[in-house]
Amino acid sequence: MTSLDKQANETLAQGLPDAARTDGPPVADEQATKAAFFDAFGGVRGMVETTVPGLVFVLCYTITRDIQLSAILALAITGVMFLARLVQRGPTKHAFTGVFGVVFGAVFAMMTGDAKNFYLPGMVYTLGLGIAYVVTAAGGVPLLGLVLGPVFKENLSWRTRNPGRKQAYVKASYVWGGILLAKSAITFPIYFWGDATQLGWLRVALGIPPFLVAVYFTWVILVKAPPPIDVIAEMEAEEAAEAATAKEQAAQRAAATAQSGETGPVEGPAADGPVTGGPEHRPGPPPGHGLHG
């Protein structure tokens, strides 16, 4: 480790909370880690876009008790936020997921006449995602690693080349799975035995805070893990090395060609024909010389 690497690691360690500091291998930059988490899961804007439609629905329904009006307002605000994404040319992956959930929930609520069904698609998604986190972590292929691997430019290298980081992804996936399953354990009883306004305000309250808790614990776990292996940088380095090798070989061939041209055939008698001064090239007697002597 160079002095610059040591100084950078010490600077990072000073910026980490006590729970995240380690004397082990170098840790990833905490700010980059937090930014990657928020980008991977939609960021602050994604959290707002996920929370606002449900808040509008439950607020309108609490005041008016009109399912159609509440659903239409929720759809309208969702459409406005999605169009804003398109106009600003921002990422639409999480926004599209939110639009799909709101549309499905609004249609389902209006068709059944039960306002609680507005939240059912999101509740089922949360339950399924929690189960997926737990099952993939137990199977040794943690879902969080599949999500964050491309973000950190390590892809799936953590599975075979970075066991410490794989273990961190397993732990963090259990954290996400536990939090999501706990949300489901709270909301589903209210869905079956409570009313729509209770479920709506509970869903709003359990929106952003559990997400932030999961992000925080995941960040604490990963900054204590070995840093990611940047496979993109490795590929670029290999390509650069291959290009340098090819360039060097071409230069060697050019030098060899130039050298062979300098030591090639020279002009003069040796180039025009055989040398006649040696015995093996001395001309013999003229024809018939031996017959008349």
Side-chain angles (χ1 to χ4, degrees), residues 44-57 72-100 102-103 118:
V44 175
R45 184 172 182 177
M47 289 188 293
V48 172
E49 292 173 345
T50 303
T51 304
V52 168
L55 177 61
V56 169
F57 180 88
I72 291 173
L73 287 178
L75 287 173
I77 192 66
T78 301
V80 169
M81 291 188 295
F82 185 73
L83 289 177
R85 286 264 191 178
L86 294 178
V87 171
Q88 297 174 358
R89 297 182 180 181
T92 59
K93 178 179 65 174
H94 297 282
F96 181 79
T97 303
V99 169
F100 179 79
V102 172
V103 170
F118 176 83

Side-chain angles (χ1 to χ4, degrees), residues 3-266:
S3 60
L4 291 177
D5 293 334
K6 184 176 180 181
Q7 182 179 0
N9 291 329
E10 289 176 354
T11 303
L12 290 175
Q14 291 174 359
L16 294 173
D18 293 337
R21 295 188 183 180
T22 177
D23 295 330
V27 297
D29 180 16
E30 58 172 306
Q31 297 299 328
T33 302
K34 288 189 291 185
F37 290 151
F38 280 105
D39 289 341
F41 294 102
V44 175
R45 184 172 182 177
M47 289 188 293
V48 172
E49 292 173 345
T50 303
T51 304
V52 168
L55 177 61
V56 169
F57 180 88
V58 68
L59 183 61
C60 182
Y61 184 76
T62 301
I63 297 173
T64 66
R65 296 290 172 173
D66 189 331
I67 295 178
Q68 283 194 338
L69 178 60
S70 303
I72 291 173
L73 287 178
L75 287 173
I77 192 66
T78 301
V80 169
M81 291 188 295
F82 185 73
L83 289 177
R85 286 264 191 178
L86 294 178
V87 171
Q88 297 174 358
R89 297 182 180 181
T92 59
K93 178 179 65 174
H94 297 282
F96 181 79
T97 303
V99 169
F100 179 79
V102 172
V103 170
F104 191 79
V107 172
F108 191 36
M110 289 187 290
M111 289 179 59
T112 60
D114 189 350
K116 290 189 294 184
N117 287 333
F118 176 83
Y119 302 99
L120 185 59
M123 293 168 58
V124 173
Y125 174 78
T126 298
L127 177 60
L129 190 60
I131 294 174
Y133 273 118
V134 173
V135 170
T136 56
V141 190
L143 180 59
L144 194 66
L146 301 178
V147 172
L148 294 181
V151 175
F152 289 118
K153 300 180 181 180
E154 60 181 332
N155 294 340
L156 298 180
S157 62
W158 50 266
R159 292 192 60 192
T160 56
R161 300 173 56 190
N162 204 341
R165 193 161 183 85
K166 176 181 177 180
Q167 188 62 30
Y169 279 136
V170 169
K171 293 179 181 179
S173 293
Y174 277 127
V175 169
W176 279 91
I179 290 176
L180 295 178
L181 292 178
K183 285 179 60 176
S184 298
I186 295 172
T187 55
F188 270 99
I190 303 300
Y191 173 81
F192 289 114
W193 297 295
D195 59 34
T197 55
Q198 290 175 338
L199 180 61
W201 290 114
L202 181 63
R203 288 279 298 174
V204 171
L206 293 179
I208 295 178
F211 173 83
L212 295 178
V213 171
V215 168
Y216 173 76
F217 279 106
T218 304
W219 163 53
V220 169
I221 291 171
L222 287 187
V223 295
K224 296 173 65 176
I229 299 173
D230 193 339
V231 295
I232 305 300
E234 288 183 345
M235 293 173 58
E236 293 175 350
E238 290 177 0
E239 292 176 356
E242 291 176 358
T245 300
K247 185 176 181 180
E248 182 179 357
Q249 291 176 349
Q252 291 176 352
R253 286 195 297 268
T257 302
Q259 184 177 5
S260 63
E262 293 176 358
T263 59
V266 296

